[in-house]
Amino acid sequence: MSRTELRPFTAADLAACGTLLADRHRRHRAAQPLLSARFEDAAVALAELTAAYETPDASGAVAYRAGVPVGFVLGAPKPSPLWGPNIWVEAAGLAVTDPEVTRDLYAVAAARWVDEGRTAHYVVVPTYDAELVRAWFRLGFGQQHAHAIQPAARPGTGTPAGLPVRRATRADIPALAQLELELPLHHGRSPTFSAGRVGTLEEALAEWTADFDNPGYATFVAESDGRVVGSAIGCALEKSSGHLSLARPDHAGFLGFAAVFPHARGTGAGRALGTAVIDWAVTAGFDSVVTDWRVTNLLASRAWPALGFSETFLRLHRLIGY
Ligand SMILES: CC(C)(COP(=O)(O)OP(=O)(O)OC[C@H]1O[C@@H](n2cnc3c(N)ncnc32)[C@H](O)[C@@H]1OP(=O)(O)O)[C@@H](O)C(=O)NCCC(=O)NCCS
């Protein structure tokens, strides 16, 4: 095998690396056909890569063998303090022909990131390539988050007896506001330990009162013994701030939120609510339904795969310094 040459990523690498990215996406779609076909086009992939390159403070590395590009890694920081002194390699920021070269690329790119004080590293990796995921694990990364998809098709399962699900009405706003706090509360606890802020009930009530009639969102509630025990929200994936670039399938609905009060968890309410959102997506004409979860969220990481979601991208994380 010829020697691997590594150097910082520059604008001169964009075109060749755009082709590598389109090739990666083609392989990804062979395993996960619900992903968008658009990014198999090298020009479309190049536009995504160029956008990643033009993100403020983006930097990375590229690898060549015998003058031919064999991989790149390109990251940029997110301004939110939620992620710490961070660098993110998003879905368009990585493609390799040989998974092992990922480790050389990271070694070059991460030297600069750490010099800049960016010690919290995040990378969004396509799931189809087990060796690629393993290469990142052998760089000290662990799995933090999962993106997933399923076809918009009516699930065979019905609502469990005693757990009717219906569209929310304004009278449900107090329960919806309380349920909105349940997700960040749950995420703040072990073993997720998310740094996300838990808002106040007053803020949640004010938001629900102002936004309740927004036609872009379909809100459902599950009831048990006549009381609301959980809620879920469906919308178009375009409304999500995540699932960007190659991780954004076309014509996709989004299971954007779900929570069940702690006393009612594990009794089928989450399944019934998720099913209602999938049903809504079918009726609304979407081709697929997307969701995502923290993999350390024991409840969500069991409930959503059980409902038929399969992983498309994993977000891996490494914190340098300890
Ligand atoms: C995630 C959540 C909405 C799921 O709702 P739920 O009512 O607890 O879930 P369900 O009882 O419907 O269980 C759904 C599936 O999860 C699986 N599951 C639930 N508990 C499980 C366990 N302890 N072990 C393995 N699988 C389990 C089951 O397969 C179940 O499917 P089944 O109906 O075929 O048995 C709920 O637990 C919750 O509010 N969690 C906190 C907030 C949150 O995490 N929201 C989602 C953010 S992405």
Side-chain angles (χ1 to χ4, degrees):
M1 191 193 295
S2 59
R3 231 177 108 247
T4 306
E5 290 167 45
L6 294 144
R7 45 183 158 81
F9 192 103
T10 70
D13 302 309
L14 282 169
C17 291
T19 302
L20 287 181
L21 185 60
D23 291 346
R24 184 201 86 187
H25 195 68
R26 198 170 304 118
R27 294 192 295 274
H28 198 176
R29 280 197 75 245
Q32 191 54 272
L34 289 170
L35 292 172
S36 173
R38 289 186 304 121
F39 305 107
E40 291 189 12
D41 180 334
V44 178
L46 173 58
E48 296 301 316
L49 181 59
T50 304
Y53 180 71
E54 288 173 353
T55 305
D57 296 320
S59 67
V62 62
Y64 282 81
R65 280 182 194 147
V68 177
V70 291
F72 70 93
V73 167
L74 184 63
K78 282 191 196 292
S80 168
L82 259 187
W83 305 111
N86 70 86
I87 196 91
W88 274 68
V89 176
E90 294 274 14
L94 159 73
V96 288
T97 55
D98 168 8
E100 185 59 18
V101 84
T102 308
R103 306 205 308 146
D104 300 296
L105 288 163
Y106 176 75
V108 173
R112 171 166 168 177
W113 298 337
V114 172
D115 277 352
E116 291 173 345
R118 305 187 198 286
T119 48
H121 298 176
Y122 302 84
V123 54
V124 178
V125 180
T127 41
Y128 80 91
D129 192 341
E131 282 306 309
L132 179 63
V133 173
R134 207 174 108 72
W136 284 101
F137 282 180
R138 291 187 301 126
L139 284 163
F141 281 72
Q143 191 181 343
Q144 183 182 60
H145 204 87
H147 297 250
I149 197 166
Q150 65 173 295
R154 291 201 195 284
T157 53
T159 302
L163 274 171
V165 172
R166 58 169 173 79
R167 285 293 277 258
T169 68
R170 277 196 167 266
D172 297 317
I173 286 177
L176 292 170
Q178 275 185 336
L179 283 160
E180 191 170 311
L181 305 189
E182 289 296 342
L183 173 58
L185 278 171
H186 178 68
H187 269 175
R189 295 189 191 113
S190 181
T192 304
F193 299 116
S194 158
R197 172 178 175 266
V198 183
T200 67
L201 189 57
E202 290 69 31
E203 286 167 345
L205 279 168
E207 264 176 48
W208 272 106
T209 305
D211 293 348
F212 187 82
D213 295 318
N214 187 330
Y217 296 88
T219 304
F220 296 88
V221 291
E223 289 181 310
S224 176
D225 296 329
R227 300 177 80 90
V228 170
V229 293
S231 65
I233 303 176
C235 61
L237 185 59
E238 282 68 31
K239 296 209 181 293
S240 161
S241 58
H243 306 271
L244 300 170
S245 187
L246 281 77
R248 176 157 290 190
D250 303 319
H251 314 299
F254 183 44
L255 171 56
F257 175 86
V260 172
F261 285 125
H263 72 271
R265 288 177 192 161
T267 61
R271 168 175 284 278
L273 286 160
T275 301
V277 170
I278 295 165
D279 266 340
W280 163 83
V282 175
T283 307
F286 292 108
D287 294 337
S288 61
V289 188
V290 163
T291 197
D292 60 284
W293 60 82
R294 284 286 178 113
V295 294
T296 44
N297 178 343
L298 303 186
L299 302 171
S301 64
R302 289 167 180 156
W304 303 147
L307 205 59
F309 285 98
S310 70
E311 292 172 346
T312 50
F313 287 88
L314 307 180
R315 186 206 302 153
L316 311 181
H317 176 44
R318 178 180 184 189
L319 191 58
I320 308 279
Y322 309 99

